[in-house]
Amino acid sequence: MLRQFFAYYRPHMRLFWLDFGSAVASGLLELAFPLAIAGFIDHLLPGGNWTLTLLAAVGLVVVYLINAGLMIVVTYWGHKLGINIETEMRSKAFAHLTKLSWGWFDRAETGKLVARVTRDLEEIGEVAHHGPEDLFIAIMTFAGAFGLMAWIHLPLALMTLVIVPVMVWLIAVYGGRMTQTWQAIYGRVGAFNVRLEESLGGIRVVQAFSNEPHERALFERDNSRYRETKLDAYRILAKLTALHYSGMRMVQVVVMVAGAGFVFNGTLSEGGFVGFLLLVNVFFRPLEKIAAVMETYPRGIAGFRRYTELLATEADITDAPDAIEAPRFRGEITFDKVSFTYDGARGVLHGVSLDIHPGETVALVGPSGAGKSSLMALLPRFYEPTGGEIRIDGVPIQKMTLASLRSQIGLVSQDVFLFGGTLRDNIAYGKLGATEEEILAAVAHAQLAPLVETLPEGLDTVVGERGVMLSGGQRQRVAIARVFLKNPPILLLDEATSALDRTTEREVQAALSRLAVGRTTLVIAHRLNTVRDADHIVVLEQGRVVERGSHDALIEAKAAYYELAS
C-alpha cells in the first residue's frame, strides 16, 4: 500500500523536494536555537559587551525571519503538493467509476461513492503533505536533539531517553485503534450520505405520504451512530494525549531537578542547563507531533485503503484486447440463443433468438418481469449475456469497442434523466459540441419548439435537478431531441410513453415515429396500440419467446398476444 501511495508523488517531485527541503531546514534552525541561548548566557552576559550582544540579537532575528519564510513555503507549497495529489486521485477515482457497469452500480450506494471521492480523499491530501516530511523531520529532530543534549551533558541525556520506548509503545497501540475507528467512521459517513441523498432526492414521496417524522427518525439513527463512532475516535485520542503529556512533563521535572544538582556540583554551566532544558522540548517535539497527527494519519490510511479498494474493483464489461472500431451500422441485429441472469442464480432470459433486419421496427411485449428491458440492455453491453451471442451486421458485439458500439445506439427510456443545467445543455448532451442549427433542428423534430417559446430564457432556461421544472412529457421530448442530435442507426425505446397521459402520449409517439424513420428500432411497450404498426411483434414470457408476428396475425392466432390485447 505504501508503494502505491508514494507512486502519486512522482509527477510532483520538484514540489515535494521544495516542501521537504524547507521543512528540514526549518527543523535544523530549531535545533540551533537552544545552543544560541546557552552561548548567550555563558559567554555574552558575563562579558557585558553590548555590541556583541546586539549583533547576536540581530543574527537571531535574521534566523527567525529565514525560518518564517521556510514556514510559509511548507504551509502553502506543502499543502499545494497534498492538494495536487488529492485532485489527481479524485480524477482517477471518477474516471474509474465511469468505466464500471450497470450491474456494479445496481449494487452500489451513491452516498457511499460520493464519500469516497470527497471526504476520503481530503484526508489523504493531508497525509500526502505531512506524511514523509513529518516522519523524516521527527527522526532528524529526535536524533539531532539527543546528540546535542549528550554533547552538553551525557548522564542527563540518558535519563531523558528512558521515556522514549514507553511513548513509542503508546503511539503504536493507540494508533492502530485509531485507524480501525476511522475506518468505521468512514463507513458511517457513507451510510449517513445514503440516508441524506435518499431522503432529499425522494422528498416529494416523503411529503406525499406525510412520512417526514419517519424519515427524521431514520436520519437521527444514522446521525447518532456517526456521532458515537466519532466520539470513540476522540476518546482514544484523549487517552493517548493525556498519557503522552503526563509522561513527558514528568521527565521534564526529573531533568530539571537532576540538572539543578549537576549545576550545584559544577559539572554543568547555567547556560548549558538552560540550553539543555530547551533541547528537552525540542527532543520531545517529534513525539508530540506524532501524537498530534495521530488524529490525521489514521484518517488518511483508512481513506487510502478504501480508495485502493475502489480502484481494485475491476470493470466486468471492457473492450476485448482485439476489439475493433465498429463501422457505421446498417442495423442488422441477431440474438442467438441468448441467456442472462443478474445474480447468477435466477434466470431472466433463456435461449432467446431473434433476427432483425436493417430498418425494421420490432416490438417486445409481455407481462412485467418477462425480460424485455433486460434483452434490450444487452445490446449496448450495459450487461453481458451469460450465454449465447449478440451480433450486429454479423459481427459479435464483444469484438467491438464499447465507445464505437454505444455511439451508434440511441436510447429513450421511461425514466428520463436530465442534468440540473439548462435545456440547451441537456439536449446537446446527445452530441457534445453541436451547433446552434443542429440543436434547433433537434428541438423541431422532437416537437419541443412550443415549449421553448414559452420558457422565459428559451433554451437557456435551467430545468432543475433531474429536470424537475419540466413535465413528464416535456422530459420525454428532451430525451427524443437528444437522440435526434445523436442520430444513431439503431434506436431503443424502453416504454418511452407508458407514464404519459393519452394526449401527451400521442404527441410523443408522433415524435418517436419520426425518430424511428430509417433506423432499426426495438420498442418495449405495455400499451399495445402504440406498437400495432411495428414490422414484427415479439411476445416474451418468463424470459422466453412464446410468439412472434404482425399485430393482425397475432390477434388472429388468439394466443399470448391476444390475451395481452384483451
Side-chain angles (χ1 to χ4, degrees):
M1 190 172 71
L2 284 174
R3 277 199 305 269
Q4 286 177 295
F5 182 72
F6 286 119
Y8 286 94
Y9 284 89
R10 290 195 189 106
H12 313 286
M13 290 309 294
R14 291 177 64 182
L15 198 56
F16 170 78
W17 286 117
L18 174 65
D19 171 46
F20 189 79
S22 298
V24 169
S26 179
L28 290 173
L29 290 178
E30 285 293 311
L31 283 174
F33 176 69
L35 296 180
I37 296 299
F40 190 89
I41 294 173
D42 282 343
H43 302 292
L44 291 180
L45 287 183
N49 190 324
W50 269 108
T51 303
L52 287 177
T53 301
L54 291 175
L55 285 174
V58 170
L60 202 57
V61 169
V62 170
V63 170
Y64 284 153
L65 290 175
I66 292 172
N67 208 11
L70 292 172
M71 289 179 180
I72 290 174
V73 172
V74 171
T75 303
Y76 176 73
W77 295 101
H79 278 100
K80 183 178 180 179
L81 170 66
I83 291 168
N84 286 352
I85 292 174
E86 173 193 336
T87 303
E88 182 182 334
M89 286 182 171
R90 186 172 290 118
S91 297
K92 194 170 183 178
F94 183 77
H96 185 71
L97 284 171
T98 60
K99 296 175 184 176
L100 299 178
S101 67
W102 283 20
W104 188 85
F105 282 104
D106 290 342
R107 300 183 296 272
E109 294 176 297
T110 306
K112 292 183 178 180
L113 297 180
V114 170
R116 287 195 179 190
V117 296
T118 52
R119 176 71 180 272
D120 288 17
L121 294 183
E122 287 176 1
E123 304 296 350
I124 294 172
E126 280 297 302
V127 172
H129 168 210
H130 294 289
E133 73 180 42
D134 281 354
L135 179 62
F136 181 83
I137 292 170
I139 295 172
M140 180 197 72
T141 306
F142 189 80
F146 180 76
L148 292 174
M149 288 161 58
W151 178 66
I152 293 174
H153 200 276
L154 182 60
L156 206 52
L158 293 175
M159 291 174 61
T160 310
L161 193 63
V162 172
I163 193 65
V164 173
V166 179
M167 293 294 102
V168 170
W169 179 80
L170 283 174
I171 290 169
V173 171
Y174 282 92
R177 293 182 187 175
M178 285 288 287
T179 300
Q180 293 173 355
T181 306
W182 276 107
Q183 282 185 289
I185 287 173
Y186 284 147
R188 296 295 186 202
V189 169
F192 187 82
N193 286 351
V194 169
R195 173 58 52 198
L196 190 63
E197 182 191 8
E198 287 183 349
S199 299
L200 298 182
I203 192 64
R204 290 166 177 76
V205 176
V206 172
Q207 294 180 349
F209 285 89
S210 300
N211 279 343
E212 294 92 337
H214 172 71
E215 289 300 321
R216 284 195 290 268
L218 292 177
F219 183 84
E220 285 303 317
R221 183 192 65 186
D222 287 334
N223 200 16
S224 178
R225 287 175 178 173
Y226 176 63
R227 173 183 176 273
E228 290 303 320
T229 309
K230 202 165 185 179
L231 283 176
D232 286 342
Y234 286 108
R235 196 174 293 119
I236 295 170
L237 183 65
K239 291 178 182 177
L240 174 61
T241 303
L243 289 170
H244 189 258
Y245 176 84
S246 301
M248 289 191 299
R249 294 301 175 258
M250 290 296 292
V251 169
Q252 284 179 320
V253 171
V254 170
V255 168
M256 186 171 64
V257 174
F262 290 125
V263 171
F264 295 156
N265 65 26
T267 59
L268 181 65
S269 68
E270 288 87 347
F273 179 49
V274 174
F276 193 97
L277 287 176
L278 292 173
L279 281 169
V280 168
N281 287 325
V282 176
F283 178 72
F284 282 134
R285 195 170 299 155
L287 295 178
E288 289 179 340
K289 191 175 186 64
I290 291 172
V293 299
M294 285 310 299
E295 184 184 353
T296 303
Y297 281 7
R299 296 181 190 178
I301 293 168
F304 189 72
R305 186 168 292 152
R306 285 160 57 88
Y307 169 76
T308 54
E309 287 171 0
L310 175 62
L311 292 189
T313 304
E314 295 186 4
D316 51 1
I317 299 178
T318 57
D319 289 338
D322 58 347
I324 61 170
E325 291 288 325
R328 179 72 177 177
F329 292 152
R330 292 184 296 106
E332 182 183 0
I333 302 172
T334 302
F335 292 90
D336 187 1
K337 298 178 182 178
V338 172
S339 300
F340 175 66
T341 174
Y342 284 104
D343 55 11
R346 295 170 297 138
V348 178
L349 298 172
H350 309 277
V352 173
S353 294
L354 286 175
D355 290 308
I356 303 169
H357 299 297
E360 281 189 336
T361 295
V362 174
L364 305 177
V365 301
S368 296
K372 304 182 297 295
S373 294
S374 299
L375 183 65
M376 187 175 283
L378 294 177
L379 189 61
R381 292 186 69 197
F382 295 141
Y383 301 94
E384 293 282 41
T386 52
E389 187 176 71
I390 303 172
R391 298 184 293 274
I392 297 178
D393 297 341
V395 180
I397 58 174
Q398 281 82 5
K399 291 188 177 295
M400 307 174 189
T401 63
L402 284 170
S404 64
L405 169 68
R406 292 174 180 173
S407 67
Q408 299 191 67
I409 298 175
L411 173 64
V412 180
S413 62
Q414 175 185 351
D415 184 19
V416 176
F417 184 92
L418 298 185
F419 297 94
T422 66
L423 184 59
R424 181 194 307 278
D425 293 337
N426 276 283
I427 295 172
Y429 205 79
K431 181 183 178 182
L432 299 178
T435 65
E436 184 73 8
E437 290 74 16
E438 289 174 322
I439 293 173
L440 292 176
V443 166
H445 285 308
Q447 295 184 321
L448 267 174
L451 169 65
V452 174
E453 292 171 0
T454 62
L455 294 175
E457 297 180 52
L459 285 171
D460 295 314
T461 301
V462 175
V463 299
E465 187 176 3
R466 295 180 181 267
V468 70
M469 306 299 290
L470 303 179
S471 69
Q474 290 167 344
R475 287 196 294 272
Q476 290 288 359
R477 290 192 191 90
V478 172
I480 294 168
R482 192 185 279 171
V483 176
F484 262 119
L485 205 54
K486 185 177 183 180
N487 193 27
I490 295 175
L491 182 62
L492 308 179
L493 306 177
D494 188 356
E495 301 185 38
T497 63
S498 61
L500 306 179
D501 61 78
R502 295 290 183 181
T503 303
T504 306
E505 180 188 29
R506 283 194 295 271
E507 294 172 354
V508 173
Q509 192 62 45
L512 288 173
S513 298
R514 282 197 296 277
L515 180 60
V517 172
R519 310 175 202 274
T520 302
T521 305
L522 271 69
V523 184
I524 295 175
H526 278 129
R527 295 177 183 173
L528 301 186
N529 63 301
T530 61
V531 297
R532 60 186 303 141
D533 295 328
D535 296 305
H536 296 284
I537 297 173
V538 177
V539 184
L540 291 170
E541 286 185 359
Q542 297 182 351
R544 292 180 172 85
V545 176
V546 296
E547 201 174 14
R548 70 184 73 186
S550 67
H551 172 80
D552 292 338
L554 293 176
I555 288 293
E556 189 175 338
K558 294 188 177 181
Y561 184 77
Y562 179 82
E563 292 295 326
L564 291 171
S566 299

